[in-house]
Amino acid sequence: MYKKDFPILAQSITYLDSAATTQKPKVLLNQTNTFYKKDYANVHRGTCALANQATTLYEEARQKVADFIGAESKNIVFTKGATEAINLVASGYAQMLKEGDEVLVSIAEHHANFVPWQQACIKSGATFKVFNILPDGRFDMNDFKKKISPKTRVVAVGHISNVLGVVNPIKEIVELAHKVGAKVLLDAAQSISHLPISVKDLDVDYLAFSGHKVYGPTGIGVLYGKTEDLNELPPYQFGGDMIDEVKVEGTTFALAPSKFEAGTPPITQAIGLGISLDYIKKIGLEKIQKHEKALMKSLIKGLKEIPNIQFLGDPKHKTALVSFNIAGIHPNDLGFILAKENICVRIGHHCAMPLHTYFKMAASMRVSFGLYNTKQDVQNFLNAFHKAIGFFK
Ligand code: PMP
């Protein structure tokens, strides 16, 4: 329905890898071009009209992000991606945690929300703890309750796993975490383009996502933090734009979000993200969700008919992505044939090795949807997949 908004999809490809990155709407390409042609300058420092206009557009983009997740603009930090946003928080905690403190993450986390916390614990002497999932892919809340304690300082979890596609019970996690005084960081990289999100409603302390997974540019990401948390967190990088006063004797820092935006920021990318969020808002996330749910229903129906299919988690819980294997055939071999048919899917551990270890699988195939996918895309995939399996029989 919306495919025509995405020039790249005019080619004869079946793009089913939106969990890795989404394609870009024409409006983003056109308006980025206009910005470079008409309004481009550095932000926050100039006096000329161009610099003022670039600064206005950059700060308007921050407001658009804030509105998109029900926050205020002073709580939105631009980063280069979800990975950098999580590293920013974890590296701050590496300085604030001490021996005896604990950090709790799930076994289903993307490496971006796993390794930075593991490293923060190594550096600080805190204990890194991991809670399990159930075989159907949902969080094992009994294990979570066993592992959270008054020693827990941070709980870092994904909203939707990039392998399982299950929507996790964030409100329950937040309630239990706050009861013991722990902060919650929500990795929203896989939910931001599929679910309406309100940070006020979820009451998370931090939230991270990437622009490129929500139809925006690469090189831009978002960290949301509550005011008291952003104030407590030490700066991540040092340099221009993040200071209050610099003297030979010492430096004081600006308030958030400037404190975390050292140097020239990704100006065009931030403005581009705002354009993409406008585009999604116009369509409506509820409508996108309904569309993707219908696609998933027909994909799962087709997949279930295939002998020896092994889903990672129960297929009834999937949102816009599903991962699976065919027993006895390596997904790389199947992927090779799909690629020849111009079908783009993802094969590998999807940066979630602990999760694949849990399922005793080295790799899997993942099909993921964006708002531009159609029933025809699902059919193209199923036809090619049957052909590929037939080849290896
Ligand atoms: N978390 C999740 C759940 C993801 O799927 C990804 C990207 N695959 C990331 C974090 C990291 O995002 P980025 O690479 O854009 O920083």
Side-chain angles (χ1 to χ4, degrees):
M1 176 169 35
Y2 300 104
K3 213 168 230 184
K4 61 177 183 346
D5 292 347
F6 294 79
I8 200 169
L9 298 177
Q11 304 172 56
S12 94
I13 50 165
T14 301
Y15 189 76
L16 293 167
D17 199 14
S18 293
T21 197
T22 51
Q23 297 299 347
K24 313 304 166 204
K26 203 164 24 191
V27 62
L28 170 63
L29 309 180
N30 292 346
Q31 290 194 26
T32 301
N33 210 357
T34 305
F35 173 64
Y36 273 130
K37 281 196 209 155
K38 262 186 66 225
D39 299 316
Y40 181 76
N42 208 335
V43 292
H44 295 151
R45 322 168 191 180
T47 49
C48 73
L50 281 183
N52 287 338
Q53 176 64 355
T55 303
T56 301
L57 291 170
Y58 180 71
E59 292 304 327
E60 274 177 9
R62 196 191 303 279
Q63 186 61 52
K64 286 178 189 183
V65 170
D67 293 344
F68 199 75
I69 59 169
E72 286 177 52
S73 63
K74 66 181 168 54
N75 300 96
I76 302 296
V77 178
F78 282 127
T79 65
K80 80 176 159 73
T83 301
E84 189 178 54
I86 298 168
N87 271 280
L88 189 161
V89 181
S91 76
Y93 270 93
Q95 298 167 58
M96 301 195 296
L97 293 168
K98 46 187 191 337
E99 251 175 72
D101 289 341
E102 295 176 357
V103 173
L104 184 56
V105 308
S106 90
I107 192 84
E109 296 314 304
H110 186 283
H111 297 162
N113 199 30
F114 193 97
V115 185
W117 295 111
Q118 199 174 38
Q119 290 300 310
C121 288
I122 291 169
K123 282 188 191 138
S124 62
T127 305
F128 181 65
K129 288 175 95 173
V130 182
F131 70 96
N132 269 320
I133 57 161
L134 299 167
D136 68 6
R138 290 177 303 152
F139 279 175
D140 181 344
M141 291 307 289
N142 285 333
D143 195 43
F144 178 82
K145 285 174 196 161
K146 254 189 249 156
K147 287 179 178 158
I148 193 161
S149 82
K151 292 183 194 164
T152 313
R153 293 280 310 276
V154 183
V155 174
V157 288
H159 201 176
I160 296 181
S161 142
N162 66 316
V163 177
L164 300 169
V166 184
V167 183
N168 292 319
I170 301 309
K171 278 190 163 182
E172 191 184 351
I173 296 266
V174 170
E175 212 179 297
L176 292 167
H178 285 174
K179 247 186 212 158
V180 297
K183 302 289 182 184
V184 178
L185 179 139
L186 183 64
D187 173 0
Q190 290 297 342
S191 55
I192 192 72
S193 65
H194 304 291
L195 298 181
I197 293 178
S198 158
V199 287
K200 294 259 158 62
D201 183 45
L202 293 175
D203 199 23
V204 290
D205 303 288
Y206 296 102
L207 177 141
F209 70 89
S210 293
H212 72 95
K213 290 194 204 277
V214 63
Y215 309 100
T218 52
I220 185 74
V222 169
L223 172 68
Y224 156 83
K226 285 182 181 165
T227 304
E228 66 268 25
D229 295 307
L230 292 180
N231 286 344
E232 185 191 23
L233 206 62
Y236 181 52
Q237 290 189 330
F238 303 90
D241 242 23
M242 54 76 69
I243 52 87
D244 172 37
E245 200 173 14
V246 182
K247 289 184 184 166
V248 174
E249 297 76 28
T251 296
T252 52
F253 305 119
L255 292 175
S258 302
K259 181 169 104 177
F260 301 107
E261 294 184 5
T264 298
I267 303 165
T268 315
Q269 292 80 351
I271 294 168
L273 174 58
I275 295 164
S276 298
L277 295 183
D278 282 345
Y279 171 77
I280 296 171
K281 248 181 156 168
K282 218 160 134 191
I283 297 172
L285 272 169
E286 284 83 4
K287 202 165 167 187
I288 294 170
Q289 224 177 346
K290 212 170 137 200
H291 172 65
E292 292 171 341
K293 213 169 148 188
L295 292 180
M296 186 51 74
K297 203 171 158 196
S298 69
L299 173 62
I300 298 283
K301 184 168 174 282
L303 286 173
K304 275 184 164 175
E305 287 165 6
I306 299 172
N308 298 327
I309 187 137
Q310 303 170 321
F311 290 99
L312 281 81
D314 190 325
K316 78 169 178 249
H317 298 302
K318 307 304 174 197
T319 47
L321 67 91
V322 58
S323 305
F324 47 86
N325 270 310
I326 301 295
I329 310 177
H330 196 284
N332 273 346
D333 293 336
L334 294 168
F336 181 73
I337 296 183
L338 292 180
K340 281 192 172 308
E341 302 276 324
N342 281 334
I343 312 273
C344 297
V345 295
R346 188 133 297 234
I347 288 140
H349 52 62
H350 318 301
C351 301
M353 285 173 108
L355 180 61
H356 278 79
T357 304
Y358 168 88
F359 279 109
K360 299 187 174 60
M361 292 176 186
S364 60
M365 178 178 291
R366 181 183 72 192
V367 173
S368 57
F369 297 129
L371 62 91
Y372 32 63
N373 286 119
T374 60
K375 285 243 162 108
Q376 187 59 54
D377 292 333
V378 173
Q379 204 48 56
N380 291 351
F381 168 77
L382 288 171
N383 292 346
F385 198 46
H386 277 286
K387 200 164 150 185
I389 293 167
F391 187 82
F392 288 102
K393 259 189 183 159

